[in-house]
Amino acid sequence: PDPTSSLLSMRTSAGQACVGQTGWDTDFTEHMHTCGLRSGGAMPVAGRCMASTQGVSADCGNCLGNLISCGRQCATQCCLGTCPASEACQSCTNDKCVPSFEECAGVTPPDPTSSLLSMRTSAGQACVGQTGWDTDFTEHMHTCGLRSVGAMPAAGSCMAKMQGVSTDCGNCLGDLISCGRHCASQCCLGNCPASEAC
């Protein structure tokens, strides 16, 4: 069988696949990232993941999965999915992926900044009053950094669970892990956090 026709049958060309689908944009940025990691950015797995996660039709899920798959072209500009609101990431995805997504889904992807804000607190007090946020801090940050490969939202979820704190506090700790990837060499991949260079 022709693999092209098989792929086309899995993906909708109707152009309205997500119109009227309640929940297609729920926690959009976080869920796109999670399904991207689970699927390695590959279809049809990414589409099935999004259909299940968002509670939408297979056709809508395929449009979302194709957006994930297309986004692999922008992996560098989007910091492997950890900086979707950056100008470079937005420019790349808007040029290469959003038009075909809109054609497939009939909807426009939400602004990643608004999606991320719902995922993370901007109040600046997320860990205040959270007993245990700093328990075995360095060791747990290193452990969650390894488990999540330094990527949000996995790093935040890991820290929230490890420290027994709120999701918002965990996300702040996860953001610190994610940011720390910029210092990976100076911090010996997390093995020398007390060094002067780190």
Side-chain angles (χ1 to χ4, degrees):
D2 176 18
T4 307
S5 63
S6 176
L7 281 174
L8 289 175
S9 69
M10 289 183 343
R11 301 172 187 175
T12 185
S13 58
Q16 300 285 311
C18 295
V19 173
Q21 298 274 323
T22 305
W24 74 268
D25 58 349
T26 302
D27 296 327
F28 188 79
T29 303
E30 178 182 4
H31 292 170
M32 291 285 283
H33 185 249
T34 299
C35 286
L37 291 174
R38 286 183 184 160
S39 67
M43 281 295 289
V45 179
R48 285 195 298 261
C49 179
M50 284 303 289
S52 172
T53 302
Q54 302 305 89
V56 296
S57 69
D59 283 344
C60 180
N62 283 337
C63 294
L64 295 164
N66 285 330
L67 181 59
I68 290 170
S69 182
C70 177
R72 292 185 300 181
Q73 299 174 73
C74 303
T76 302
Q77 295 89 331
C78 297
C79 318
L80 298 176
T82 62
C83 64
S86 73
E87 189 176 325
C89 181
Q90 286 296 287
S91 177
C92 185
T93 55
N94 285 338
D95 288 347
K96 295 182 179 180
C97 304
V98 170
S100 59
F101 172 74
E102 290 174 339
E103 240 178 71
C104 177
V107 293
T108 301
D111 174 19
T113 306
S114 62
S115 183
L116 285 171
L117 287 177
S118 70
M119 196 170 107
R120 302 174 188 171
T121 185
S122 59
Q125 305 260 335
C127 294
V128 172
Q130 300 273 325
T131 306
W133 73 268
D134 58 349
T135 302
D136 298 324
F137 187 78
T138 303
E139 178 186 342
H140 290 173
M141 291 284 282
H142 184 247
T143 300
C144 286
L146 292 174
R147 288 183 184 167
S148 67
V149 196
M152 281 296 289
S157 299
C158 179
M159 284 303 288
K161 186 176 182 179
M162 187 87 67
Q163 303 306 93
V165 294
S166 69
T167 301
D168 284 342
C169 181
N171 282 337
C172 291
L173 297 168
D175 283 338
L176 183 58
I177 289 171
S178 182
C179 179
R181 292 185 304 177
H182 299 291
C183 304
S185 296
Q186 298 90 325
C187 298
C188 317
L189 297 176
N191 292 310
C192 62
S195 71
E196 187 176 329
C198 182

